[in-house]
Amino acid sequence: MNPVPRHSLWWFFIAQLAVVAPHVPRLPWWLLGVWLVCAAWRIQVFRGHWSWPGKVAKSAIVFAVLMGILVWYRNPTALESAAGTVIALFFLKMLECYQRRDVYLLIFVSIFVAAMNFLFDQGLLTSLWVFFSIILVLLSLVSLHEPQESTWYSAIKPVTVLVFQALPLMLVLFLVFPRLSPIWAVPLPGSGQARTGMSNSMSPGDISQLGRSADLAFRVTFDGRIPASSRMYWRGLMLDHFDGRHWTPQPMARYRNNENADLASHAVSEYEYEVLLEPTGANWLFALEDARSNTEGVIRLANGTLSSKKTVTSRFAYQAKSASSGQRVLSAVERSISLQLPKTLNLRTQEWARMLREQSADDERFITNVLTYLREQPFYYSLDAPLLGRDSVDEFLFSTRKGFCEHYASSVAFALRAAGVPARVVVGYLGAEANGDYFLVHQYDAHAWVEAWIEGDGWVMVDPTAAVAPERIERGMSAWVDTGDGVLSGSGANFWARRYPLIGKMRLLFDQVDYQWQRWVMGYDAERQTDTLVNLLGEITPARVAALMMGVLGLALGGVVLSLWGREWLRARDPLTQAYEDFCAALARQGVPRAVGEAAGDYAARAAERRPDLAQRIRSVTTLYESLAYRRHTDAQYHNGIRLLRAEVRRFVRESLFSKAPVRKQHNNEGNH
């Protein structure tokens, strides 16, 4: 048997806790109890109080834990279930951790469990924590090779050296190794749920749920012109089918798929920007009006929105340009889709809209009259809206009159269609929070508005919220909350940062660091790698890439060599060695140099014979040096001894300077030195 050292076992327990800690919110609470039982059992075995569990007991424990995982997660193919199973087996392996080779296996599994964190989050804090936990794993590995009598902190120094020596190699591989799609960017079972909360349909109350969330939706960096926050309408989905309660998008196959017809030839690019989207588990992307993108994997749909070819399961960065479009023609199919209504529902609204349209000179005036009705009647903008029944639009417009943006957008779009004006609902986000040179868009910025077709002008944006809660449009959600009309006041979504400015500044500062991390580290894809290598090398060729790698690795290895040489030089210049070398140099000036490899005692005997006038001082210095070099001392004794040695050397130097005695010749039988 090859037992596990005590300090190594403790380091492993600490490392195991560190690698599992980020997974805790996704694990069953009882699985932590399993870890406590396994760890306590292993400690008791180490102390000799308990014996190892038998095969029957181990089989029963494994079966019970795996069945618990299956019942808890219900879906055995889900990503969370797979992670929970790996971690459970990771815990149970401690029950057969007999010797060092078993600890080796657990250490390698620890690294795998630490890397599993990136399946769920790739933020800066997660990355730093994984790096820290890997260092703890290395500490347990190094301590496994140290003697039993070693202290618990003796492994820290070699691990620190190893980490700093590995950093240059890590940097080189990061820069030049071919960029492959990470595993967390691949859609995995159970990982496709929308994580931003926005779905592909809208019904009363859906967006108001997002209005209570302070989670980040995406970040935006503009290149050049920046629109006002009140003009930042981030379009995500076009909803053009209404069944009486839910708005859903029509299949794109029913639209003209001719994107060149969507923008006139004289369209001018107004805004250029980059969006860093949080994982959504969906394909739709968010951009300003009439956006185009040349990012690989991004397509422009016929209705003018952007979409990703793949499901967005990790942070996704894409470039976009928004332009002012010219007039376009509404096809018969599009007009039919944009006028669709359930004829048997909301009859009162249909009659009211037709009557109001007859009183209006044109479609534009009709839209103005609808908004005037919302502005003048006692409507309330609130996250807490009453439940609506079968005729949801009738109940909202003429009874409850209390709702969030989706209530107003749905009702206005229905009224426009009832009056013969093509209309559709757009869901996305409105506004952004400035943070340095980029902007933050949160879930509480979720918004719904209407686009109406006006002959001669094309699709025109109509935002009913502006008629009811203009402060929500002009100053953002936070301004609406501050008025006291929003239920966010006093709720969990009312940030601590809003109450304590210092916390708010720290939050924004950390987000700036995290944003740069996402852009330049996590977002370092094949395209950016190519740009970086072109900037460094001018032209990417195998010879130049190899020269870059060899040059950087040479510098890294040179640093290692210099550190080792410097460490040896520092060791050679410690106080004891330095004092004795000063003594040897003084003797050499008296004609008695020390031979290479000559022991201190032999050198003292030879020097005393050749300089008998200094013999007593030579023996005194040598005896004190050998005592300090080869005997154990406390720190206080050692430092006192160094002071005495230096004093003796100084006396010897003074006496040798004033000594006029001749140096005796060396006898022939003294041997070669």
Side-chain angles (χ1 to χ4, degrees):
M1 295 289 288
N2 195 1
V4 181
R6 179 177 61 183
H7 50 272
S8 178
L9 190 63
W10 285 113
W11 273 123
F12 173 72
F13 285 148
I14 296 173
Q16 192 178 45
L17 274 178
V19 299
V20 172
H23 293 284
V24 168
R26 297 181 288 271
L27 297 177
W29 60 266
W30 52 264
L31 196 56
L32 299 180
V34 172
W35 178 83
L36 289 174
V37 171
C38 294
W41 201 319
R42 182 63 183 85
I43 292 172
Q44 291 296 90
V45 170
F46 180 85
R47 298 174 63 186
H49 294 173
W50 293 0
S51 60
W52 293 102
K55 292 183 178 180
V56 176
K58 286 191 297 185
S59 300
I61 294 172
V62 171
F63 178 78
V65 171
L66 292 181
M67 288 301 297
I69 292 288
L70 183 61
V71 172
W72 182 272
Y73 289 107
R74 298 182 183 275
N75 183 8
T77 63
L79 179 61
E80 292 80 3
S81 177
T85 302
V86 172
I87 293 173
L89 297 177
F90 179 44
F91 291 162
L92 295 176
K93 179 62 180 175
M94 287 191 293
L95 295 181
E96 55 178 15
C97 185
Y98 306 120
Q99 48 190 334
R100 296 193 183 198
R101 66 180 183 181
D102 298 315
V103 180
Y104 290 144
L105 176 61
L106 284 173
I107 287 174
F108 297 145
V109 176
S110 299
I111 298 175
F112 180 78
V113 172
M116 281 191 341
N117 285 297
F118 292 124
L119 294 173
F120 303 95
D121 182 64
Q122 302 89 46
L124 177 60
L125 283 180
T126 298
S127 302
L128 292 176
W129 185 263
V130 169
F131 181 75
F132 169 71
S133 60
I134 293 297
I135 291 178
L136 292 177
V137 173
L138 291 177
L139 283 169
S140 63
L141 178 62
V142 171
S143 63
L144 198 61
H145 295 271
E146 295 191 330
Q148 289 279 359
E149 61 273 10
S150 299
T151 59
W152 65 270
Y153 55 83
S154 57
I156 295 179
K157 183 177 180 180
V159 168
T160 303
V161 173
L162 286 173
V163 169
F164 278 101
Q165 290 176 346
L167 286 178
L169 178 61
M170 179 187 71
L171 179 61
V172 172
L173 293 177
F174 177 79
L175 290 175
V176 304
F177 194 81
R179 307 301 296 174
L180 303 176
S181 179
I183 188 173
W184 50 83
V186 179
L188 297 171
S191 63
Q193 295 85 358
R195 276 179 265 181
T196 62
M198 184 169 288
S199 64
N200 62 349
S201 65
M202 186 195 76
S203 60
D206 287 350
I207 296 182
S208 58
Q209 294 299 320
L210 291 180
R212 304 176 188 275
S213 173
D215 292 340
L216 184 66
F218 54 89
R219 301 180 178 98
V220 185
T221 302
F222 284 91
D223 183 10
R225 292 183 58 198
I226 301 176
S229 179
S230 60
R231 301 302 302 169
M232 292 184 184
Y233 281 84
W234 305 101
R235 305 159 89 236
L237 281 170
M238 296 291 181
L239 308 179
D240 37 29
H241 181 269
F242 186 57
D243 62 5
R245 185 170 186 84
H246 299 88
W247 286 88
T248 55
Q250 283 282 1
M252 285 297 101
R254 299 191 60 184
Y255 284 93
R256 285 183 305 110
N257 192 15
N258 182 7
E259 66 176 40
N260 292 328
D262 289 345
L263 291 179
S265 59
H266 63 274
V268 178
S269 176
E270 291 186 351
Y271 304 111
E272 298 183 12
Y273 46 94
E274 180 186 63
V275 178
L276 181 60
L277 181 65
E278 294 295 300
T280 63
N283 296 80
W284 54 81
L285 306 177
F286 299 95
L288 300 177
E289 184 180 7
D290 289 321
R292 292 173 178 267
S293 176
N294 58 5
T295 301
E296 183 179 358
V298 176
I299 58 176
R300 186 175 190 270
L301 302 180
N303 60 16
T305 60
L306 298 182
S307 178
S308 171
K309 293 181 180 179
K310 297 180 180 179
T311 303
V312 182
T313 56
S314 61
R315 288 186 176 92
F316 179 58
Y318 55 95
Q319 307 285 336
K321 295 181 180 181
S322 293
S324 297
S325 61
Q327 181 182 354
R328 45 165 296 190
V329 177
L330 189 67
S331 68
V333 173
E334 289 176 287
R335 181 178 293 275
S336 174
I337 292 174
S338 302
L339 290 174
Q340 172 270 330
L341 281 180
K343 299 299 183 181
T344 60
L345 298 177
N346 303 300
L347 298 180
R348 184 178 178 184
T349 301
Q350 294 188 45
E351 181 181 358
W352 171 76
R354 286 192 292 267
M355 182 177 61
L356 191 63
R357 178 62 184 87
E358 292 175 358
Q359 300 173 359
S360 305
D362 51 28
D363 291 347
E364 292 183 76
R365 185 61 188 172
F366 168 69
I367 295 174
T368 302
N369 290 336
V370 171
L371 297 179
T372 300
Y373 174 80
L374 297 178
R375 188 180 300 111
E376 294 180 349
Q377 296 298 318
F379 282 92
Y380 299 94
Y381 196 66
S382 174
L383 288 172
D384 283 335
L387 296 177
L388 301 176
R390 177 174 177 269
D391 294 313
S392 58
V393 178
D394 283 355
E395 293 179 22
F396 174 72
L397 286 178
F398 306 110
S399 179
T400 63
R401 294 180 174 178
K402 183 179 183 181
F404 203 52
C405 59
E406 67 267 34
H407 297 81
Y408 292 93
S410 176
S411 300
V412 170
F414 186 94
L416 293 181
R417 289 186 174 191
V421 180
R424 60 193 183 188
V425 173
V426 187
V427 293
Y429 297 88
L430 169 60
E433 178 186 16
N435 187 18
D437 59 351
Y438 70 99
F439 293 84
L440 302 170
V441 179
H442 298 90
Q443 292 301 333
Y444 59 75
D445 292 316
H447 195 55
W449 61 96
V450 178
E451 287 185 352
W453 178 264
I454 304 298
E455 295 296 337
D457 293 331
W459 288 107
V460 176
M461 186 187 68
V462 179
D463 192 350
T465 299
V468 182
E471 65 279 358
R472 163 68 180 97
I473 306 299
E474 296 299 327
R475 298 168 55 196
M477 178 64 93
S478 60
W480 173 66
V481 171
D482 288 337
T483 63
D485 296 328
V487 299
L488 286 178
S489 299
S491 73
N494 189 15
F495 307 110
W496 287 101
R498 294 180 62 245
R499 298 187 179 184
Y500 302 100
L502 180 59
I503 296 179
K505 292 180 180 179
M506 293 176 61
R507 175 182 66 87
L508 294 177
L509 179 61
F510 174 78
D511 192 87
Q512 288 183 358
V513 177
D514 184 65
Y515 181 44
Q516 299 305 323
W517 169 266
Q518 295 296 334
R519 291 186 67 189
W520 302 110
V521 179
M522 303 305 297
Y524 186 72
D525 53 14
E527 182 179 356
R528 287 190 172 177
Q529 183 184 52
T530 301
D531 295 339
T532 301
L533 293 179
V534 168
N535 292 333
L536 289 175
L537 304 177
E539 180 183 0
I540 301 178
T541 63
R544 294 189 179 187
V545 172
L548 174 64
M549 294 186 65
M550 295 301 295
V552 177
L553 287 176
L555 291 175
L557 293 176
V560 173
V561 172
L562 287 175
S563 67
L564 294 175
W565 177 83
R567 191 163 53 201
E568 292 296 328
W569 181 82
L570 289 174
R571 186 182 298 114
R573 301 302 296 175
D574 69 272
L576 178 62
T577 304
Q578 184 174 356
Y580 185 69
E581 287 181 351
D582 292 342
F583 165 71
C584 294
L587 263 179
R589 289 193 294 270
Q590 297 300 317
V592 190
R594 185 185 181 188
V596 177
E598 187 173 17
D602 296 339
Y603 181 41
R606 182 167 64 87
E609 182 178 349
R610 299 188 63 183
R611 291 300 304 267
D613 57 314
L614 300 174
Q616 181 179 358
R617 193 65 65 190
I618 291 173
R619 294 189 184 96
S620 176
V621 171
T622 304
T623 301
L624 186 55
Y625 168 74
E626 290 180 331
S627 175
L628 293 172
Y630 304 113
R631 294 180 183 177
R632 289 189 176 182
H633 301 278
T634 64
D635 290 342
Q637 291 173 337
Y638 181 79
H639 292 306
N640 290 333
I642 292 294
R643 285 196 293 268
L644 291 175
L645 178 62
R646 287 172 173 169
E648 287 293 327
V649 170
R650 285 195 295 268
R651 294 191 192 98
F652 173 78
V653 171
R654 286 197 301 268
E655 292 180 8
S656 63
L657 288 175
F658 296 102
S659 177
K660 304 299 183 180
V663 180
R664 290 185 179 181
K665 293 183 179 181
Q666 181 175 320
H667 298 295
N668 293 332
N669 59 355
E670 286 184 352
N672 296 327
H673 295 283

